[in-house]
């Protein structure tokens, strides 16, 4: 092996933020490559600062490096300045650990948390010296694997990847390693690539697009079927049944340079059954599996000691729902170390007074801003999306926050939701103005920032049938919000570019034909599409036109019950019937309770996979309406009340 | 009680910036469980005061910072060696503690006190020797340079206190392999830090007119920082290891 460092080193002083490329982090492994070891290059298709904190990547990095038959290194998308110098000099994509060339790895594994990074994936495959199209790869080229939430509709990437892994990677990476190890031992002879992919296609959770044929009926997908009898018809996601068995990362990475989430992260649970209908993460990561509170404490204590951080973020999709949350938080806070007491940060706050009380407990020093996500402006629309937060919940939370010393709130909303009317859209500003007037009782500086994003329907959610709002309609709605906010003192508006929302829509529910569009956008120079300075919608529209595809068809068209989705053959465990029923319930404005604390409504995940929720407390944590929309008392242990079933089935 | 600490920054880690280094120190002091005092205010921070910023990409044998210990921690000068050892273990590869001494409350801050620093620079360009002679013989050297977004034409001659090829006795303080890994002519310069100061890249522009400095400056290392006492230049903190650790 040869390190590329001597060739890279002279370039680094000439590029921005060269610390992105040096490795040397606290917690970095000392990868030992060797005969009989499968070498994984774990890639994050965005810049280092965004990719380094990614927990999924850190977990797999550690698990693989613990295996005697595997070795793992990391790589991130080089920024455009370094990329230009690398291409000029013929320097390939490299790992940051030992600066080894990507073509010396057996597997190039991408973590995809969003769709707009797809063009960066192509760029990195190309920089790695491998053909971007899987069909053109030789036995000596690495296997390209994708995982992460976006892999649940991998069809737009089908032409470029060798495999997609659905669900959690902890166990399946071992199974993949064993098959690839055998392939390596057999000498990766001519023609063997097909054989190893065929073998991999039989591993549960692993999808090999080249083993399937797609049939079309005009523009419609008619079916996606295995090309060989031994290849499974349906691929179901992988799920780790007990998070307590997987105490990772044990050696969290603490970077030498500033990154986006610059603190220790400890994952307290996976999955979420709040049932928000727009939320792909909540749908595809079920069931809820809590980490034992004792293990959370251990990971906090050891992580802080090991990294020297004085801040820990307790991560999950809704951290206030963690059964042990109060005791964990209080056990961290009063434990001052030599250099000041550590602080706890709680991302994804639930909207109620209890949660704010918790936040007040952990916030030390300056109380600048708190963020809540009511997602929709009226109760009616919140019943449609099943985010059952009452105005009282929000106002209670906000009152509690302003009275505890916070002066700025940020409220997240989606626009372009199913059944949304202008009353709902303008309701966003009414809610924000209501929050400002509560704040004015406590401080003259009270202000509320409303952040509005265009809604993109995602695969495996009840809203997968919904036709996304087009760019003009989203612009109009954002205009309504801005106009109304202009009349409301103390309300500020930020919004996401509707043009990027359209491109995200193309990639999110696209089928295999969209692959050619992604390739065109990339070849035209469209990298870093999540960065507004690089995003140009016309590149996407021109590419669609050149391929004879219509964005109306892929994005704004409502689907009916008979639609065969491009992810028809892929399962997140959710029954088709459950999703369809939940879509009908949405249109009937009927909510659905959280099954963590109430009887099962059989979405399919637990029953199908022999899994169950792992929740330490049989009742919901105290406070607010608990997302039931009911007026439950504040404080104390409040068993969740059932909404009548009749409201659920329409 | 306050301590003045010197440390080296060598190898790959030279590509971290000044702000990164401050964060690295914060985490390292916490890892080493050193009882550092905290600032008051909304966001309490560790009480550390750094010396002159080292340009990103430059290495150094003598970076400096002052650390104030917490009241009531009872840290005495007799524990300095032990504390330095603990910090040294906590610092990332490429950074090492090279000296520690007590710093009296009356002493001026590093930013105010340091007047000049000595740089060893490897420059990959032709005619560097001639250019050195010419600068040494002239009374003025004009250069366009930028500070805070503003371009100004300055005479930097007075700030070039000394300029020549690497002194043979100084090659011994260089880290092992340093000369081997550097391309080009190796020179040595003492540059002022007073006022607007002179950066090593600016000296390269003076030596290779019209160039993009980092295309020629293949390696640059700070080997000394100077203060003035009774009209003489003296070393701020002279302790220095024989073989500093280098990140391979």
């Amino acid at each position: 092996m040869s390190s590329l460092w001597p060739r890279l080193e002279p370039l680094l002083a000439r590029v921005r933020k060269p610390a992105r490329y040096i490795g040397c982090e606290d917690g970095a492994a000392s990868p030992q490559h060797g005969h009989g070891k499968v070498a994984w290059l774990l890639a994050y298709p965005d810049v280092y600062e965004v990719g380094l904190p990614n927990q999924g990547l850190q977990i797999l990095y550690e698990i693989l490096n613990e295996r005697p038959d595997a070795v793992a290194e990391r790589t991130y998308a080089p920024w455009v300045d370094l990329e230009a110098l690398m291409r000029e000099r013929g320097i390939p994509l490299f790992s940051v650990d030992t600066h080894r060339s990507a073509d010396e790895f057996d597997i190039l594994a991408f973590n995809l948390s969003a769709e707009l990074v797809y063009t960066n994936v192509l760029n990195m495959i190309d920089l790695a010296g491998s053909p971007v199209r899987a069909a053109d790869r030789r036995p000596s080229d690495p296997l390209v694997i994708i995982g992460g939430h976006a892999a649940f509709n991998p069809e737009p990437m089908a032409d470029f990847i060798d495999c997609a892994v659905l669900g959690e990677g902890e166990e399946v990476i071992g199974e993949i390693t064993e098959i690839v190890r055998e392939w390596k031992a057999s000498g990766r002879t001519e023609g063997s690539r097909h054989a190893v992919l065929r073998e991999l296609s039989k591993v549960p959770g692993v999808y090999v697009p080249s083993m399937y044929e797609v049939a079309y009926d005009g523009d419609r997908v008619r079916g996606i079927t295995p090309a060989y009898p031994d290849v499974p018809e349906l691929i179901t996601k992988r799920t780790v049944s007990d998070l307590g068995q997987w105490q990772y990362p044990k050696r969290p990475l603490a970077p030498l340079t500033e990154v986006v989430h610059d603190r220790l992260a400890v994952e307290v649970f996976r999955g979420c059954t709040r049932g928000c209908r727009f939320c792909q993460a909540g749908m595809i990561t079920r069931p809820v599996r809590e980490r034992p509170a004792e293990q959370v404490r251990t990971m906090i204590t050891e992580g802080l000691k090991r990294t020297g951080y004085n801040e820990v973020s307790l991560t999950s999709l809704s951290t206030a729902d963690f059964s042990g949350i109060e005791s964990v938080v209080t056990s961290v806070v009063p434990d001052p170390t030599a250099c000041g007491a550590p602080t706890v940060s709680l991302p994804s706050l639930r909207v109620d007074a209890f949660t704010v009380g918790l936040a007040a407990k952990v916030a030390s020093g300056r109380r600048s801003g708190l963020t809540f996500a009511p997602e929709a402006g009226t109760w009616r629309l919140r019943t449609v999306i099943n985010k059952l937060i009452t105005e009282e919940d929000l106002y209670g939370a906000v009152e509690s926050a302003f009275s505890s010393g916070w002066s700025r709130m940020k409220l997240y909303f989606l626009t372009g939701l199913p059944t949304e009317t202008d009353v709902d859209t303008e309701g966003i500003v009414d809610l924000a103005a209501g929050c400002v007037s509560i704040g004015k009782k406590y401080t003259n500086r009270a202000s509320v920032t409303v952040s509005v994003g265009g809604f993109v329907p995602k695969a495996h959610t009840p809203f997968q049938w919904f036709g996304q709002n087009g760019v003009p309609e989203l612009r109009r709605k954002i205009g309504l919000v801005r106009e109304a906010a202009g009349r409301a003192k103390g309300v500020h508006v930020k919004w996401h570019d509707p043009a990027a929302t359209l491109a995200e829509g193309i990639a999110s529910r696209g089928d295999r034909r969209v692959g050619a569009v992604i390739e065109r956008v990339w070849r035209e120079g469209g990298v870093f599409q999540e960065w507004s300075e690089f995003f140009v919608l016309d590149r996407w529209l021109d590419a669609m036109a050149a391929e004879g595809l219509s964005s109306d068809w892929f994005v704004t068209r409502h689907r009916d019950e008979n639609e065969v989705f491009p992810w028809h053959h892929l399962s997140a465990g959710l029954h088709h019937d459950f999703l369809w029923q939940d879509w009908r319930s949405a249109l009937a404005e009927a909510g659905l309770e959280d099954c963590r604390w109430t009887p099962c409504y059989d979405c399919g995940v637990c029953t199908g996979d022999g899994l169950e929720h792992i929740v330490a407390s049989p009742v919901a944590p105290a406070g607010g309406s608990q997302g039931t929309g009911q007026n439950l008392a504040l404080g104390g242990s409040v068993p969740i009340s059932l909404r009548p079933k009749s409201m659920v089935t329409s | 009680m306050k301590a003045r600490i010197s440390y080296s920054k060598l190898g790959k880690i030279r590509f971290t910036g000044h702000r990164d280094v401050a964060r690295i120190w914060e985490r390292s002091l916490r890892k080493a469980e050193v009882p550092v005092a905290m600032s008051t205010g909304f966001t309490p921070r560790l009480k550390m005061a750094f010396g002159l910023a080292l340009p990103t990409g430059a290495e150094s044998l003598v970076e400096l910072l002052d650390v104030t210990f917490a009241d009531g921690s009872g840290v005495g000068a007799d524990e300095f060696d032990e504390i330095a050892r603990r910090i040294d273990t906590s610092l990332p590869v490429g950074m090492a503690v090279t000296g520690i001494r007590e710093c009296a409350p009356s002493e001026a801050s590093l930013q105010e006190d340091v007047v000049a620093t000595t740089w060893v620079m490897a420059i990959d360009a032709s005619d560097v020797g001639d250019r050195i002679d010419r600068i040494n013989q002239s009374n003025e050297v004009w250069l366009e340079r930028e500070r805070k977004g503003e371009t100004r034409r300055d005479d930097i001659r007075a700030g070039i206190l000394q300029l020549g090829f690497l002194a043979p006795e100084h090659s011994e303080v260089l880290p092992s392999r340093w000369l081997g890994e550097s391309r080009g002519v190796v020179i040595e310069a003492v540059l002022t830090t007073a006022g607007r100061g002179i950066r090593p890249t600016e000296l390269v522009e003076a030596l290779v007119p019209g160039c993009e400095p980092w295309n020629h400056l293949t390696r640059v290392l700070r080997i000394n920082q100077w203060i003035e006492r009774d009209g003489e230049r003296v070393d701020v903190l002279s302790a220095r290891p024989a073989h500093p650790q280098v990140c391979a």
Side-chain angles (χ1 to χ4, degrees):
Chain A
M1 92 103 192
S2 59
S3 167
L4 291 169
W5 181 251
R7 292 173 68 194
L8 275 166
E9 190 178 33
L11 308 180
L12 292 187
R14 302 182 211 171
V15 300
R16 292 183 58 205
K17 300 189 183 178
R20 288 166 170 164
Y21 311 108
I22 62 175
C24 296
E25 303 91 344
D26 258 344
S30 312
Q32 301 296 320
H33 293 251
H35 192 67
K37 280 190 177 188
V38 174
W40 291 69
L41 183 56
L42 304 176
Y44 195 90
D46 207 326
V47 276
Y48 180 83
E49 300 93 288
V50 178
L52 181 115
N54 185 276
Q55 292 294 292
L57 200 145
Q58 291 196 24
I59 290 168
L60 301 187
Y61 176 65
E62 217 172 295
I63 292 175
L64 286 167
N65 279 317
E66 280 174 4
R67 286 183 70 99
D69 60 353
V71 58
E73 300 201 33
R74 295 163 294 128
T75 189
Y76 307 88
W79 192 243
V80 289
D81 54 357
L82 182 64
E83 188 202 326
L85 293 173
M86 286 164 65
R87 289 197 183 272
E88 209 177 283
R89 287 163 175 73
I91 299 174
L93 183 73
F94 57 88
S95 68
V96 298
D97 298 272
T98 66
H99 298 95
R100 184 178 293 247
S101 167
D103 67 6
E104 293 183 33
F105 290 82
D106 304 306
I107 297 172
L108 185 51
F110 289 92
N111 178 316
L112 303 184
S113 41
E115 294 81 7
L116 285 180
V117 300
Y118 289 169
T119 56
N120 272 17
V121 173
L122 267 61
N123 201 37
M124 289 172 80
I125 296 172
D126 184 55
L127 272 174
S130 178
V132 292
R133 290 194 166 256
D136 300 334
R137 287 185 199 127
R138 301 142 301 199
S140 56
D141 289 316
L143 293 171
V144 176
I145 302 184
I146 60 169
H149 290 185
F152 277 85
N153 176 24
E155 287 303 278
M157 294 296 281
D159 292 343
F160 315 116
I161 59 171
D162 292 298
C163 321
V165 172
L166 305 189
E168 295 163 5
E170 280 90 342
E171 293 165 333
V172 71
I173 50 168
E175 296 157 33
I176 295 172
T177 298
E178 281 159 26
I179 289 172
V180 175
R181 191 184 64 206
E182 293 307 311
W183 178 48
K184 231 183 140 172
S186 75
R188 287 165 70 151
T189 49
E190 207 55 48
S192 65
R193 203 172 170 94
H194 176 86
V196 71
L197 288 173
R198 185 120 160 220
E199 227 21 69
L200 284 168
S201 75
K202 296 173 202 161
V203 175
V206 176
Y207 168 53
V208 181
S210 58
M211 300 291 147
Y212 293 78
E213 280 160 3
V214 186
Y216 300 94
D217 236 346
D219 265 341
R220 270 175 204 283
V221 172
R222 195 171 65 224
I224 303 141
T225 44
Y228 306 97
D230 55 343
V231 172
E233 280 175 30
L234 185 74
I235 300 98
T236 304
K237 72 161 179 178
R238 296 296 291 264
T239 307
V240 168
S241 59
D242 181 1
L243 203 54
Q245 300 287 313
W246 298 91
Q247 191 182 323
Y248 291 96
K250 292 173 190 144
R251 292 179 294 277
L253 291 170
L256 299 176
T257 188
E258 198 166 3
V259 296
V260 290
H261 301 295
D262 211 359
R263 56 188 78 88
L264 178 69
V266 174
E267 186 184 30
V268 295
F269 67 87
R270 267 186 211 168
C272 179
T273 40
R274 291 263 159 202
C276 302
R277 289 170 177 138
F278 57 86
C279 177
Q280 189 190 37
M283 291 291 161
I284 63 175
T285 62
R286 296 171 171 212
V288 172
R289 287 141 298 146
E290 290 188 351
R291 194 182 289 289
E294 204 39 54
Q295 191 178 82
V296 171
R297 277 189 211 100
T298 308
M299 289 175 77
I300 295 172
T301 317
E302 286 178 3
L304 290 174
K305 206 172 208 167
R306 186 176 271 281
T307 58
Y309 276 130
N310 71 335
E311 185 181 356
V312 56
S313 177
L314 303 179
T315 64
S316 72
L317 292 171
S318 177
T319 297
D321 288 344
F322 181 60
S323 301
I325 190 65
E326 265 192 295
S327 80
V328 165
V329 161
T330 37
S331 71
V332 178
V333 176
D335 175 31
T337 63
C339 297
T343 59
V344 182
S345 76
L346 303 169
S348 54
L349 285 182
R350 206 174 61 203
V351 185
D352 55 46
F354 164 81
T355 308
V356 175
L358 204 61
K361 202 173 274 180
V362 302
S364 68
R366 197 157 46 103
R367 293 181 178 190
S368 47
L370 267 191
T371 303
F372 299 107
E375 310 287 6
T378 58
W379 169 250
R380 187 201 68 79
L381 190 53
R382 289 195 296 275
T383 60
V384 171
I385 64 173
N386 206 43
K387 182 106 187 187
L388 300 176
I389 293 157
T390 60
E391 273 182 30
E392 290 70 38
D393 287 331
L394 177 63
Y395 290 151
V398 165
E399 177 111 39
S400 163
F402 280 117
S403 68
S404 329
W406 275 283
S407 59
R408 286 203 322 267
M409 308 288 135
K410 196 169 182 188
L411 303 179
Y412 277 125
F413 291 95
L414 289 169
T415 190
L417 288 164
T419 78
E420 181 175 335
T421 65
D422 289 357
V423 174
D424 300 308
T425 314
E426 287 168 337
I428 290 174
V429 178
D430 295 339
L431 272 188
C435 296
V436 173
S437 59
I438 292 170
K440 290 289 180 200
K441 293 194 288 182
Y442 299 95
T443 168
N444 276 332
R445 290 180 297 135
S447 78
V448 172
T449 301
V450 162
S451 170
V452 187
F455 171 59
V456 179
K458 294 283 161 88
H460 307 280
T461 69
F463 288 171
Q464 61 187 350
W465 285 276
F466 176 64
Q468 183 177 325
N469 280 186
V471 176
E473 177 65 359
L474 286 177
R475 289 228 163 95
R476 190 186 69 82
K477 284 176 174 157
I478 289 166
L480 284 180
V481 173
R482 292 175 62 196
E483 215 171 281
R487 297 187 295 266
K489 257 196 112 189
V491 178
H492 308 283
V493 184
K494 283 185 181 166
W495 64 93
H496 192 68
D497 177 13
T501 306
L502 179 69
E504 192 185 329
I506 293 170
S508 291
R509 288 188 297 172
D511 57 37
R512 272 187 200 195
R513 292 168 296 181
V514 168
V517 174
I518 293 167
E519 186 173 346
R520 273 180 191 274
V521 173
W522 165 64
R523 291 205 186 273
E524 291 298 317
V527 292
F528 288 105
Q529 295 295 284
E530 291 215 303
W531 296 68
S532 55
E533 66 255 53
F534 292 111
F535 180 81
V536 181
L537 180 61
D538 281 347
R539 276 208 188 107
W540 289 85
L541 298 181
D542 292 350
M544 288 289 280
E547 294 299 327
L549 301 176
S550 137
S551 55
D552 290 344
W553 174 265
F554 284 98
V555 182
T556 54
R557 174 180 61 101
H558 290 297
R559 277 70 160 168
D560 63 28
E561 196 176 1
N562 300 319
E563 178 86 14
V564 176
F565 288 114
W567 50 93
H568 184 75
H569 54 314
L570 308 174
S571 169
L574 302 152
H575 291 318
H576 176 273
D577 290 352
F578 160 74
L579 290 173
W580 177 256
Q581 266 317 310
D582 208 35
W583 171 227
R584 304 314 296 170
S585 302
L587 296 177
E589 299 170 16
L592 180 66
E593 65 273 29
D594 190 323
C595 62
R596 205 172 340 189
W597 304 295
T598 62
C600 173
Y601 46 70
D602 196 15
C603 70
V605 174
C606 295
T607 44
D609 273 355
L611 297 166
E612 52 188 30
H613 293 298
I614 299 181
V615 183
S617 164
V619 293
S625 77
Q626 290 304 320
T628 63
Q630 298 179 350
N631 186 21
L632 303 177
L634 301 180
S637 289
V638 185
I640 199 151
S641 301
L642 289 173
R643 293 173 67 76
K645 271 283 182 207
S646 61
M647 291 191 66
V648 176
T649 50
S650 57
Chain B
M1 165 77 94
K2 192 157 86 171
R4 182 156 288 183
I5 300 173
S6 70
Y7 63 96
S8 56
K9 185 185 178 192
L10 298 166
K12 285 178 181 171
I13 204 165
R14 74 181 184 277
F15 292 110
T16 55
H18 190 58
R19 272 161 48 88
D20 295 332
V21 168
R23 291 159 11 83
I24 289 168
W25 268 97
E26 250 185 66
R27 287 198 293 105
S28 300
L29 288 167
R30 276 197 220 101
K31 278 165 69 177
E33 297 178 14
V34 178
V36 182
M38 301 291 291
S39 68
T40 49
F42 277 133
T43 347
R45 304 211 84 99
L46 301 188
K47 269 198 175 173
M48 303 180 290
F50 285 87
L52 301 163
L54 183 70
T56 304
E59 295 169 284
S60 178
L61 296 176
V62 272
E63 290 310 284
L64 298 159
L65 87 158
D66 293 341
V67 171
T68 308
F69 298 108
D71 284 340
S73 62
V75 171
D78 55 330
E79 291 162 71
F80 276 10
D81 283 351
E82 163 61 14
I83 286 175
R85 193 193 54 76
R86 286 215 309 267
I87 298 173
D88 200 53
T89 333
S90 301
L91 284 171
V93 177
M95 281 169 67
V97 174
T98 53
I100 182 169
R101 69 160 171 81
E102 192 176 341
C103 183
S106 58
E107 282 190 66
S109 79
L110 288 161
Q111 305 255 6
E112 293 163 1
D113 221 11
V114 173
V115 293
T117 61
T118 304
W119 298 94
V120 174
M121 300 158 69
I123 299 172
D124 191 9
S126 50
D127 304 331
V128 172
D130 290 351
R131 214 39 221 174
I132 288 176
D133 290 342
R134 245 181 293 162
I135 288 176
N136 280 331
Q137 284 153 23
S138 58
N139 294 321
E140 48 191 45
V141 176
W142 289 92
L143 195 69
E144 267 196 6
R145 43 188 206 156
E146 223 185 74
R147 287 287 187 278
K148 292 175 181 157
E150 238 180 83
T151 310
R152 264 178 50 172
R153 228 175 122 68
D154 291 324
D155 177 7
I156 61 165
R157 178 62 190 90
I160 303 172
L161 306 175
Q162 210 175 297
L163 178 63
F165 290 108
L166 177 68
E169 67 272 23
H170 283 168
S171 66
E172 283 161 29
V173 306
L174 302 182
S176 55
R177 291 197 291 168
W178 198 90
L179 283 175
E181 286 171 357
S182 312
R183 275 176 300 115
V185 190
V186 181
I187 68 159
E188 188 178 317
V190 182
L191 301 179
T192 184
T193 60
R196 281 143 72 85
I198 296 174
R199 295 172 183 165
T201 45
E202 290 167 349
L203 180 63
V204 175
E205 285 179 76
L207 288 168
V208 189
C211 78
E212 193 56 57
W214 285 113
N215 287 351
H216 300 274
L217 184 57
T218 66
R219 209 83 185 240
V220 51
L221 171 73
R222 177 140 74 188
I223 63 166
N224 232 324
Q225 301 208 32
W226 304 101
I227 55 177
E228 242 168 27
R229 291 289 181 271
D230 308 320
E232 289 211 16
R233 276 210 313 253
V234 292
D235 216 329
V236 184
L237 203 149
S238 54
R240 184 183 294 149
H243 300 288
Q245 204 181 4
V246 182
C247 180

